[in-house]
Amino acid sequence: MAKILAVTNQKGGVGKTTTCVNLAASLVATKRRVLLVDMDPQGNATMGSGIDKHALERSVYDVLTNQCTIKDAIYPTPEAGFDVLPSNADLTAAEVELMEIDDREHQLQKALKKVGRIYDYVLIDCPPSLNMLTVNAMVAAEGVIIPMQCEYYALEGLTALMETINGIASSVNPKLHIEGLLRTMYDPRNSLTTEVSRELIHHFGDKVYRTVIPRNVRLAEAPSFGRPVLKHDRHSRGAIAYLALAGELIRRQEKAEKKQAKPATANAS
Ligand SMILES: Nc1ncnc2c1ncn2[C@@H]1O[C@H](COP(=O)(O)OP(=O)(O)O)[C@@H](O)[C@H]1O
Ligand SMILES: [Mg+2]
């Protein structure tokens, strides 16, 4: 079954969408089957993957409000090699319409169950708020990836985010955990960056990915061409960093699975 990860941080501009698009492409480069779910009405992940958000016949909005099946709303990307459940401004209405639905927190989870066998990874790009759309993402996911910029106010929003994650874990989704914290737009020459980074590692230990994403102009340019950086400039520092992140994510998962499998092997022998 697919490993479902929500990429979230209620702060805007920290690199959630950039991480979703480029991690998706990097996982594809290692032969994984990936679905990217755009849960932000801004539709940046949709556009950044090369799909025109203004020309959608169906979107994640229709899926969340039970107007079509998930399979009817999935689009293949023209270049990037992964699939997208896209979004556009219609999704703004879903917030209100979901309030009328009894099982409102579970809508995305229910839909993703139907395609769980088709993919190895599902990445969910969240909007910059802790609203019902983000809650749907966290109820559907098993792990949360938190991209953050190492700047002065970076740690401030983390408390509210942790409370939301813990709230969901202790009620509807006990398996929900922090998959990893990702330092984005990283500049090691900036002393504040290294200080915040140290603090992050102090609080979260090895939950902080070793891979850091540097500030890289190729990463910022690629969305205007509707493609991930791997297809824009595969030798760029940004492309190499996201490939490294995919590698780290996969290695961590393999390690965790080995750990889980060990007791069973011991009993068998
Ligand atoms: N590592 C990076 N280097 C340079 N620019 C980046 C990097 N990551 C993101 N950006 C740019 O910063 C802006 C915000 O990033 P985005 O991924 O859209 O954040 P979010 O989804 O959290 O709002 C975008 O213009 C994006 O192109
Ligand atoms: Mg975004």
Side-chain angles (χ1 to χ4, degrees), residues 150-151 185-188 190-198:
C150 292
E151 56 181 26
M185 298 176 238
Y186 196 80
D187 177 7
N190 182 332
S191 61
L192 184 59
T193 299
T194 46
E195 197 180 308
V196 173
S197 181
R198 209 176 305 129

Side-chain angles (χ1 to χ4, degrees), residues 16-17 40 44 125-126:
K16 291 182 289 295
T17 301
D40 187 346
N44 293 344
D125 189 21
C126 292

Side-chain angles (χ1 to χ4, degrees), residues 4-67:
I4 305 176
L5 300 170
V7 178
T8 186
N9 185 334
Q10 74 275 28
K11 253 178 108 95
V14 296
K16 291 182 289 295
T17 301
T18 304
T19 296
C20 280
V21 171
N22 291 295
L23 181 57
S26 300
L27 287 167
V28 167
T30 58
K31 302 277 182 283
R32 266 62 178 186
R33 299 163 303 166
V34 183
L35 173 67
L36 171 53
V37 179
D38 191 350
M39 283 292 267
D40 187 346
Q42 292 181 76
N44 293 344
T46 300
M47 296 294 280
S49 304
I51 296 165
D52 183 359
K53 67 177 177 182
H54 304 291
L56 300 175
E57 267 180 47
R58 308 243 185 251
S59 72
V60 68
Y61 162 75
D62 301 284
V63 177
L64 292 174
T65 53
N66 300 319
Q67 298 183 62

Side-chain angles (χ1 to χ4, degrees), residues 18-191:
T18 304
T19 296
C20 280
V21 171
N22 291 295
L23 181 57
S26 300
L27 287 167
V28 167
T30 58
K31 302 277 182 283
R32 266 62 178 186
R33 299 163 303 166
V34 183
L35 173 67
L36 171 53
V37 179
D38 191 350
M39 283 292 267
D40 187 346
Q42 292 181 76
N44 293 344
T46 300
M47 296 294 280
S49 304
I51 296 165
D52 183 359
K53 67 177 177 182
H54 304 291
L56 300 175
E57 267 180 47
R58 308 243 185 251
S59 72
V60 68
Y61 162 75
D62 301 284
V63 177
L64 292 174
T65 53
N66 300 319
Q67 298 183 62
C68 75
T69 67
I70 185 166
K71 283 184 183 164
D72 288 336
I74 288 177
Y75 290 67
T77 53
E79 282 192 73
F82 53 87
D83 285 348
V84 179
L85 178 53
S87 95
N88 56 25
D90 290 351
L91 189 57
T92 317
E95 265 253 80
V96 181
E97 288 176 40
L98 279 171
M99 290 304 157
E100 309 285 309
I101 299 172
D102 283 341
D103 219 7
R104 62 183 83 93
E105 299 99 341
H106 294 271
Q107 290 299 100
L108 183 62
Q109 181 192 45
K110 281 196 292 188
L112 287 178
K113 276 205 175 123
K114 295 184 184 131
V115 293
R117 287 182 196 287
I118 308 176
Y119 300 102
D120 298 307
Y121 287 92
V122 176
L123 301 177
I124 310 171
D125 189 21
C126 292
S129 61
L130 294 171
N131 60 15
M132 187 46 67
L133 297 171
T134 300
V135 168
N136 260 270
M138 288 193 192
V139 170
E142 65 170 83
V144 176
I145 294 178
I146 306 172
M148 50 187 306
Q149 248 179 297
C150 292
E151 56 181 26
Y152 190 64
Y153 294 110
L155 298 166
E156 211 169 59
L158 278 185
T159 315
L161 182 53
M162 292 309 145
E163 279 169 8
T164 306
I165 295 171
N166 291 337
I168 292 172
S170 61
S171 54
V172 283
N173 184 8
K175 67 178 188 302
L176 187 69
H177 63 270
I178 296 175
E179 180 76 15
L181 289 103
L182 176 66
R183 293 165 286 173
T184 60
M185 298 176 238
Y186 196 80
D187 177 7
R189 291 163 305 180
N190 182 332
S191 61

